[in-house]
Amino acid sequence: MRLERLDVAIAGAGIGGLSLGAMLAGRGAKVVIYDQMAAPQPVGSGFVLQPTGQAVLATMRLLDGARARGAEIHRMHGSLAGQETDGAGKTVLDISYRKGEYGIAIQRVALFDLLLQAAIDAGVAFETSSQVTGFEPGARPGIMFDNGRRAPSADLVVDAMGASSPVGHDSAKELGYGALWATVPWPEHGPFHANELEQRYEKASRMTGVLPVGTAADGAPAMATFFWSLRNRDIEPWRKAGRAAWTDEVAALWPQAAAFADIAEPVHARYRHHTRKPVAGRNVLRIGDAWHATSPQLGQGANMALLDAASLASALEGSASLDEALRLHVRQRWMHVALYQTLSAALTPFYQSDSRVLPLLRDIAIAPTTGLPVIRSIVSRLVTGDFLDPLKRIGVERL
Ligand SMILES: Cc1cc2nc3c(=O)[nH]c(=O)nc-3n(C[C@H](O)[C@H](O)[C@H](O)COP(=O)(O)OP(=O)(O)OC[C@H]3O[C@@H](n4cnc5c(N)ncnc54)[C@H](O)[C@@H]3O)c2cc1C
């Protein structure tokens, strides 16, 4: 398709919306991104860019920028709270990357700045303070806003409004557990490992983690993401109990992390699990979390949004018509999406739930098997997002 003739309206200036906007505008399409924010800005702390997401960033020439900001992650290590001097007990999660691969843990703001600049450079137009309420599908669909306004019709409308997209919203899809997330200064002199995501668990009802996430901008200090699992219904009691009570709780689970609880300004993130239809109506498509949201347990969400954007961009470029491109894009992505949604739904309760049986299974039966070479390699592929070879499906080269 000649993308120069394509009018695209994207709802949502997050990871999926910005990357898709940059890719399509860079190939000549006329792209407008609408977002509810007064100015485009990221929400949240940091996450790991897996080799799949990194490969997509490489096609956008943004990988070097991400590497310069982020921290290399070689291992994900989780243990039960214990009596060792570092507060660690039995190891129940130990995942290393395959040879030559690593994750890039990056502050959300750092990735956001790279994507936003790429979108601006490619000529994307932005309309901020635009609260989207729905779409009018059709040969020339449109976006509708809360003030009754309707955006000019486009050839293609994309819902990239993330997990809480109002279109097809179902409040029953919210998970019982969310987490407190905070960006805190990285302690240069330990005790945490500079190239690891480290976690501590007690059953499945308590989980905390520390992830080094590099710098937000040139010359800015290195930071870490600190998270603490919390049931949604426990947010108010947690607030009422106050900072000192939280610090004590963190200290009981992981003494070295208590200093983070002392200074953190945490935000409580709620998680949702849904897999909506990728096509929301004629010429209206969902990408990223608007299509497939889940808990961040497998750490794939940002990578999946990048894969969706790259898939749609290549399908549009390589197809003779819009209908054909949308069909091709869904064909390229649905199996990978379905697999990771299923795995995430199955694995999340082992780490965040009130179950007593699942964490026992995790610690006694599953943890020892992950040390076996074959299982290690499977788990490593799982975490890098590489099952079903999603890059090959969308024609993006591995790194
Ligand atoms: C706490 C937490 C930790 C995570 N950790 C990881 C991780 O380690 N690894 C990983 O890969 N992923 C992680 N994720 C998931 C990842 O953040 C998401 O999967 C990813 O951001 C999805 O991108 P998106 O573009 O679909 O949506 P988002 O990035 O959420 O962007 C949605 C955009 O839509 C806008 N918007 C929403 N509603 C409206 C509206 N009504 N009108 C106009 N605009 C609207 C928002 O302002 C926002 O700009 C985590 C998520 C959370 C919450």
Side-chain angles (χ1 to χ4, degrees):
M1 263 178 82
R2 296 272 308 278
L3 295 199
E4 293 85 356
R5 298 209 184 121
L6 200 68
D7 264 338
V8 184
I10 300 174
I15 294 168
L18 288 174
S19 47
L20 178 67
M23 289 174 200
L24 295 184
R27 291 167 200 191
K30 188 169 158 261
V31 181
V32 184
I33 298 184
Y34 300 86
D35 200 280
Q36 62 191 351
M37 303 279 193
Q41 56 179 283
V43 180
S45 185
F47 47 68
V48 183
L49 285 168
Q50 304 296 354
T52 49
Q54 293 172 33
V56 174
L57 289 180
T59 66
M60 301 173 76
R61 299 199 177 85
L62 298 180
L63 183 56
D64 288 343
R67 280 184 177 139
R69 295 268 176 273
E72 272 187 30
I73 298 298
H74 297 284
R75 184 183 181 217
M76 299 175 207
H77 182 243
S79 58
L80 302 179
Q83 306 305 320
E84 302 294 322
T85 44
D86 62 353
K90 180 182 168 188
T91 291
V92 293
L93 179 87
D94 192 357
I95 302 171
S96 299
Y97 284 83
R98 286 173 298 182
K99 201 161 176 267
E101 290 186 340
Y102 55 86
I104 300 174
I106 190 165
Q107 290 182 49
R108 204 172 272 261
V109 64
L111 178 63
F112 182 86
D113 284 352
L114 289 171
L115 294 175
L116 179 63
Q117 195 55 52
I120 292 169
D121 292 347
V124 171
F126 287 89
E127 287 212 18
T128 52
S129 303
S130 301
Q131 183 80 35
V132 175
T133 51
F135 304 124
E136 239 172 48
R140 299 263 310 157
I143 296 182
M144 293 172 306
F145 302 97
D146 60 342
N147 56 6
R149 194 166 66 92
R150 183 189 188 283
S153 305
D155 297 308
L156 173 65
V157 163
V158 179
D159 179 356
M161 290 185 284
S164 55
S165 167
V167 184
H169 186 81
D170 177 355
S171 53
K173 302 284 181 180
E174 191 167 282
L175 301 176
Y177 273 78
L180 301 170
W181 288 76
T183 307
V184 291
W186 170 251
E188 289 294 342
H189 305 293
F192 305 100
H193 296 97
N195 301 107
E196 287 187 16
L197 164 62
E198 293 181 77
Q199 299 181 340
R200 291 280 191 282
Y201 319 110
E202 188 184 282
K203 303 196 179 83
S205 55
R206 279 168 197 264
M207 174 179 67
T208 186
V210 175
L211 174 71
V213 286
T215 60
D218 283 345
M223 305 297 278
T225 284
F226 169 60
F227 53 92
W228 175 260
S229 183
L230 193 67
R231 287 183 200 92
N232 298 340
R233 66 163 194 263
D234 290 340
I235 301 169
E236 259 331 290
W238 171 81
R239 276 207 188 98
K240 282 196 184 125
R243 168 88 54 175
W246 184 39
T247 306
D248 287 348
E249 253 191 297
V250 175
L253 189 62
W254 193 359
Q256 288 82 353
F260 290 142
D262 251 348
I263 55 165
E265 288 175 30
V267 173
H268 183 261
R270 292 166 181 266
Y271 304 151
R272 301 173 56 77
H273 187 98
H274 64 224
T275 314
R276 295 171 175 152
K277 289 188 176 148
V279 178
R282 187 165 173 211
N283 296 337
V284 180
L285 201 70
R286 295 184 169 108
I287 64 165
D289 280 6
W291 175 8
H292 41 74
T294 188
S295 88
Q297 224 57 247
L298 276 177
Q300 298 299 318
N303 303 280
M304 298 289 258
L306 289 165
L307 287 167
D308 288 353
S311 167
L312 181 54
S314 72
L316 285 166
E317 201 170 35
S319 302
S321 69
L322 194 52
D323 280 351
E324 188 187 318
L326 300 191
R327 276 198 302 273
L328 174 61
H329 160 67
V330 173
R331 222 170 35 239
Q332 288 176 159
R333 289 292 298 134
W334 79 266
M335 268 173 62
H336 186 244
V337 166
L339 177 71
Y340 274 87
Q341 288 298 98
T342 307
L343 290 171
S344 186
L347 290 173
T348 294
F350 285 89
Y351 293 91
Q352 284 195 298
S353 73
D354 293 325
S355 168
R356 289 176 174 274
V357 179
L358 294 180
L360 268 182
L361 262 177
R362 174 193 72 195
D363 303 341
I364 296 168
I366 301 174
T369 65
T370 57
L372 303 172
V374 178
I375 307 284
R376 262 186 105 83
S377 137
I378 292 174
V379 173
S380 172
R381 267 198 95 172
L382 171 69
V383 168
T384 53
D386 204 26
F387 266 147
L388 300 180
D389 211 345
L391 291 171
K392 190 170 170 205
R393 284 167 186 271
I394 63 173
V396 169
E397 269 191 45
R398 281 165 177 278
L399 295 174

